[in-house]
Amino acid sequence: MRRLLLAGAAALMLGAGFGAGFGAGSAEAATFRWANDGDVNSMDPYARNETFLLSFTQNIYEPLVRRNRELKVEPALATSWSQPSPTVWRLNLRQGVKFHDGSPFTADDVIFSAQRVRAQGSNLTSVLSSVKEVRKIDDFTVEFETHAPDPIFLEEITTWAMMSKRWAEANNATQAVDLTTGQENFATRNANGTGPFMLASREPDRRTVLRPNPNWWDKPEHNLDEVVFNVIGNDATRVAALLSGEVDMIYTVPPQDTDRLGRSGNVRIHQQAELRTVFLGMDQVRDELLKSDVKGKNPFRDVRVRRAFQQAIDLEAIKARIMRGQSRPTGLMIGPGVNGWSEAADQVVRPNLDAARRLLAEAGYPNGFGVTMDCPNDRYVNDEAICTAVVSMLARIGVRVTLNAQTRARYFAEILAPRYQTSFYLLGWTPTTYDAHNTLYNIMGTRGGSRGVFNSGGWSNARFDELTNQIAVETDAAKRQQLINEAMRLHADEVGHIPLHQQVVVWAARNNITLQQMADNYFPLRYVRVGQ
């Protein structure tokens, strides 16, 4: 405890220069302490296209347009926009905005950010995949010219934060570094945004402290003078910290503890269906799997094997036993709330062990085979437990699965490495545009350039890619839905991936905490208030 107090005091001293004067003399100003089971891994907003990292860094950095409480697009660093032509978006920038180091935000920073987000090392290359050119008109006007009409352009850039050209150049951070390689640069542990909070101190895998930005352009809705984020990997310890008052909120709530927390009297449970879909992927590219006892060939290239895996997995059992009812089994790679989802198309595959065994035998594996499954243990709700259940279910059809569960940093370094060092894996995806195209393009599309960056299994279908291209530019809603339905049917017929469920977002906070829970699992600190 003494070490914790000393560390907190050090964090306060480090942050004093950033937040001096904010809330001085205000009885309402408060410290907000929260915890998660895993860390942010980087302060660079382009380091990884992952919800938790993007959510955390958007408290420091800001996009041109952002989501409001209802997840609708609203102005942020851009105050307005227009379309001079079907392929040109003109954005007017907010004047008088300053970065945390005091330098002004201008069109030069937008041009620089566009170059940086598309450059090597960035994990967010897809956000500008439809853009042909970014032009500076004047210091506070920029134009984005797209290759073709892009009906969801604004939604696509809500996760793209602006960075300071001058700061990045001065600190040799003009390019993001690929987290899968373990490299770092100045932007990995330091930050300089325009957002409501400023980075005061950073202790990777332990604690990060933020202080309010006293010169933020927007009107603060929070009453915070300090935010302390703690990494508490152990579920029981994290829950105990909330119940004892050591932390005010936990972001990842173990399903088995939800009822107990709700009955405690001092804690409020916040929950709603999430837009994220959790799924399984299989290497369908290599001639021989990296992590299997099958030599000279790749079982996952045979659709019968992929279908056998799918028919061996009982989604309702996972919902009941692992997720404690906090999931929605799905047959699609997108769920309700995502534009393009169709209830008619969302047909859950029921388990059929006899059919699965027959399919394996027909494919040449009557006695099954062995394969390693890569899984995170601190990224999704009950992720390791889900993977353990899948291992047991596949054993019933003779498949011998070795589970390799790791922290998110090590896990992502393998499955998102340049050559995708995985054979069988669990992953989750929230389409940041809340549109099906985002998942089709990033998760299911053929790997190449910015397309299919997160398609670690490498499933590929030329007709599917053609449909995805049409969906990107189709402005007629009915026609666009037909294209989405066809693409989803193709993927389901070939079992490109095995969708499992949409998890329920469950947060827990003490009764004196007011916050805004989002269906995309983003946690905007600007909405947090601490009461007496």
Side-chain angles (χ1 to χ4, degrees), residues 63-65 91 127-128 152-161:
L64 296 172
V65 293
L91 276 67
V127 298
L128 295 182
I152 58 170
F153 170 72
L154 292 178
E155 284 80 1
E156 289 171 333
I157 64 172
T158 55
T159 58
W160 173 41

Side-chain angles (χ1 to χ4, degrees), residues 49-280:
N49 197 342
E50 177 208 7
T51 297
F52 190 68
L53 185 147
L54 294 174
S55 170
F56 192 98
T57 56
Q58 278 206 7
N59 292 299
I60 302 169
Y61 292 94
E62 294 179 294
L64 296 172
V65 293
R66 68 186 183 189
R67 302 278 182 182
N68 63 15
R69 290 176 182 266
E70 291 75 39
L71 298 180
K72 303 297 184 183
V73 173
E74 68 176 12
L77 294 182
T79 58
S80 61
W81 47 86
S82 60
Q83 280 195 271
S85 77
T87 58
V88 174
W89 290 81
R90 179 175 295 166
L91 276 67
N92 301 307
L93 306 181
R94 191 176 299 277
Q95 299 188 32
V97 174
K98 294 186 183 298
F99 286 97
H100 297 160
D101 65 357
S103 60
F105 165 71
T106 70
D108 292 332
D109 300 302
V110 178
I111 302 300
F112 165 75
S113 296
Q115 295 168 344
R116 191 179 190 274
V117 81
R118 294 166 125 178
Q120 184 177 0
S122 168
N123 204 220
L124 269 72
T125 55
S126 64
V127 298
L128 295 182
S129 61
S130 69
V131 175
K132 176 182 178 182
E133 183 183 3
V134 186
R135 296 185 290 265
K136 173 183 174 180
I137 305 303
D138 57 43
D139 282 348
F140 295 101
T141 311
V142 291
E143 282 189 349
F144 294 81
E145 181 179 354
T146 56
H147 294 283
D150 183 355
I152 58 170
F153 170 72
L154 292 178
E155 284 80 1
E156 289 171 333
I157 64 172
T158 55
T159 58
W160 173 41
M162 297 298 102
M163 298 187 69
S164 165
K165 179 176 185 290
R166 186 168 74 175
W167 180 82
E169 290 176 344
N171 293 290
N172 195 29
T174 55
Q175 283 192 324
V177 293
D178 187 349
L179 278 183
T180 64
T181 65
Q183 297 178 344
E184 292 190 5
N185 67 11
F186 191 76
T188 305
R189 299 193 183 210
N190 300 274
N192 180 39
T194 61
F197 292 90
M198 311 165 76
L199 180 64
S201 66
R202 169 79 175 144
E203 299 175 70
D205 297 316
R206 187 164 180 264
R207 178 182 289 107
T208 301
V209 179
L210 305 181
R211 299 279 289 182
N213 175 8
N215 300 312
W216 190 38
W217 58 267
D218 203 358
K219 181 180 179 181
E221 295 184 47
H222 67 82
N223 67 336
L224 311 178
D225 58 8
E226 181 185 53
V227 176
V228 180
F229 167 67
N230 298 279
V231 179
I232 306 177
N234 182 271
D235 286 349
T237 305
R238 194 167 62 256
V239 169
L242 178 64
L243 289 172
S244 69
E246 292 177 48
V247 299
D248 302 305
M249 179 264 193
I250 57 176
Y251 180 86
T252 301
V253 179
Q256 64 272 17
D257 292 310
T258 303
D259 290 343
R260 179 166 71 97
L261 285 169
R263 293 193 303 267
S264 69
N266 296 320
V267 171
R268 181 182 299 116
I269 298 296
H270 303 261
Q271 65 181 46
Q272 63 175 298
E274 190 181 14
L275 298 180
R276 181 192 319 278
T277 296
V278 177
F279 59 90
L280 302 176

